[in-house]
């Protein structure tokens, strides 16, 4: 399977015919899945209805103290939405989300899952960034099953996954960060977001070019994709 675009081939290919990536193929065992049978995300049976009869709801967007962050989200954090934050390594994704999390914990319950850093490391950084509220849960975990269990227990309003490449589902074959893992975990997160009305932020090591480390197909699965880019200034200029 191409690790860039999820293109399938029964044999190894040097270059992906779909996206043109070189040496992007990794052997993955396909599991027969009934899980993929399409079901409504909310688990409810729906019927077609007249557009005029659909009641419009006014979503309550939670505003953070970061104006620009609110703006790119269309005015604030939307409950039940799945947002991908992509960007180069070291650009500041974890720092930004931690800062946003400390603010969100003033208005709701935050569960910050990190598969990259220890709880101690994150706390040190969080203390530098702002007031930590008691409704801020840190969870250093990489197993999706455990994450799901904690989400059901804590019932957070906001869930941060840092990063999607480090979380894995034990029921699925494939190593951490492989296309099948990323796809399955993202699908599960989507379900969690919709059924529990949680706003979920996923950190992904995905560059705009999509070449470096990123399965591009993540973009098609989430509601919103935000790319975090720095401007090319030297330290002395900034
Ligand atoms: N707004 C900022 N201004 C100055 N320094 C920052 C800012 N945001 C992050 N940093 C610093 O940049 C470094 C990398 O930040 P961070 O770990 O958040 O990046 P990341 O995108 O999560 O990286 P990785 O991809 O490795 O997880 C840290 O040392 C952090 O203190
Ligand atoms: Mg990080
Ligand atoms: Zn490809």
């Amino acid at each position: 399977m191409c690790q860039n675009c999820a293109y399938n081939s029964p044999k190894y290919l040097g270059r992906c015919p779909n996206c043109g990536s070189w040496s992007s193929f990794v052997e993955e065992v396909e599991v027969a899945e009934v899980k993929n049978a399409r079901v409504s995300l909310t688990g409810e049976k729906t019927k077609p209805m007249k557009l005029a009869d659909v009641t419009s709801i006014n979503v309550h967007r939670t505003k953070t103290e970061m104006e620009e962050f609110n703006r790119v989200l269309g005015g604030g954090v939307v409950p039940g939405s799945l947002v991908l934050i992509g960007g180069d390594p070291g650009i500041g994704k974890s720092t930004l989300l931690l800062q946003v999390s400390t603010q969100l914990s003033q208005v709701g319950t935050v569960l910050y899952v990190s598969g990259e850093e220890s709880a101690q490391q994150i706390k040190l950084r969080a203390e530098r960034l702002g007031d930590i509220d008691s409704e801020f849960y840190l969870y250093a975990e990489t197993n999706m099953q455990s994450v799901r269990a904690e989400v059901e227990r804590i019932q957070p309003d906001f869930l941060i996954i840092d990063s999607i490449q480090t979380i894995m589902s034990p029921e699925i074959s494939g190593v951490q960060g492989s296309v099948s893992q990323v796809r399955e975990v993202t699908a599960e997160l989507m379900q969690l977001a919709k059924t529990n009305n949680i706003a979920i932020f996923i950190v992904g090591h995905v560059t705009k070019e999509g070449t470096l480390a990123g399965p591009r197909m993540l973009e098609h699965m989430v509601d919103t994709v935000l790319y975090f880019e720095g401007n090319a200034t030297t330290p002395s200029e900034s």
Side-chain angles (χ1 to χ4, degrees):
M1 190 182 279
C2 171
Q3 298 299 296
N4 188 45
C5 71
Y7 179 84
N8 271 303
S9 161
K11 66 173 183 358
Y12 182 82
L13 297 175
R15 182 167 194 250
C16 176
N18 186 45
C19 72
S21 298
W22 290 95
S23 318
S24 58
F25 278 83
V26 165
E27 184 177 353
E28 291 190 14
V29 183
E30 221 169 310
V31 275
E33 268 183 284
V34 244
K35 262 195 182 165
N36 272 349
R38 305 247 163 185
V39 286
S40 154
L41 277 175
T42 53
E44 286 163 20
K45 272 236 168 11
T46 58
K47 270 195 293 224
M49 59 199 291
K50 281 187 185 163
L51 184 58
D53 296 338
V54 178
T55 46
S56 43
I57 42 160
N58 240 331
V59 285
H60 173 74
R61 292 169 189 267
T62 309
K63 289 203 175 11
T64 66
E65 288 157 37
M66 241 176 272
E67 269 311 313
E68 184 64 10
F69 191 71
N70 297 339
R71 193 186 66 79
V72 293
L73 288 172
V77 182
V78 180
S81 64
L82 191 62
V83 179
L84 170 68
I85 312 254
D88 290 327
I91 197 88
K93 302 178 293 295
S94 302
T95 308
L96 175 80
L97 282 177
L98 200 55
Q99 196 162 9
V100 166
S101 300
T102 58
Q103 293 170 10
L104 291 174
S105 68
Q106 315 292 322
V107 292
T109 305
V110 176
L111 177 59
Y112 188 105
V113 179
S114 178
E116 309 217 326
E117 290 158 306
S118 70
Q120 287 75 15
Q121 269 177 302
I122 301 164
K123 178 159 189 201
L124 267 178
R125 185 188 273 168
E127 281 171 339
R128 281 188 272 127
L129 292 172
D131 294 333
I132 307 172
D133 210 86
S134 57
E135 291 314 301
F136 191 158
Y137 294 86
L138 274 182
Y139 191 30
E141 180 56 66
T142 58
N143 185 324
M144 187 58 204
Q145 274 182 339
S146 317
V147 171
R148 205 188 310 127
E150 288 307 316
V151 166
E152 262 138 42
R153 191 177 68 86
I154 296 170
Q155 301 273 323
D157 302 296
F158 310 100
L159 173 65
I160 320 292
I161 301 290
D162 189 0
S163 64
I164 191 72
Q165 278 93 352
T166 58
I167 308 291
M168 70 180 287
S169 181
E171 300 134 44
I172 299 298
S173 70
V175 293
Q176 251 178 350
S178 64
V179 168
S180 40
Q181 279 290 346
V182 167
R183 186 167 50 190
E184 183 60 24
V185 171
T186 307
E188 273 189 52
L189 289 169
M190 180 57 105
Q191 186 116 22
L192 273 183
K194 304 303 169 196
T195 47
N196 300 300
N197 215 25
I198 310 169
I200 305 185
F201 292 94
I202 302 176
V203 172
H205 301 290
V206 186
T207 58
K208 214 164 196 173
E209 296 73 41
T211 46
L212 202 77
R216 275 280 334 230
M217 94 267 164
L218 254 179
E219 287 180 356
H220 305 290
M221 300 181 69
V222 300
D223 297 315
T224 307
V225 181
L226 301 176
Y227 277 106
F228 200 172
E229 292 172 325
N231 41 11
T233 51
T234 57
S236 57
E237 283 174 291
S238 58

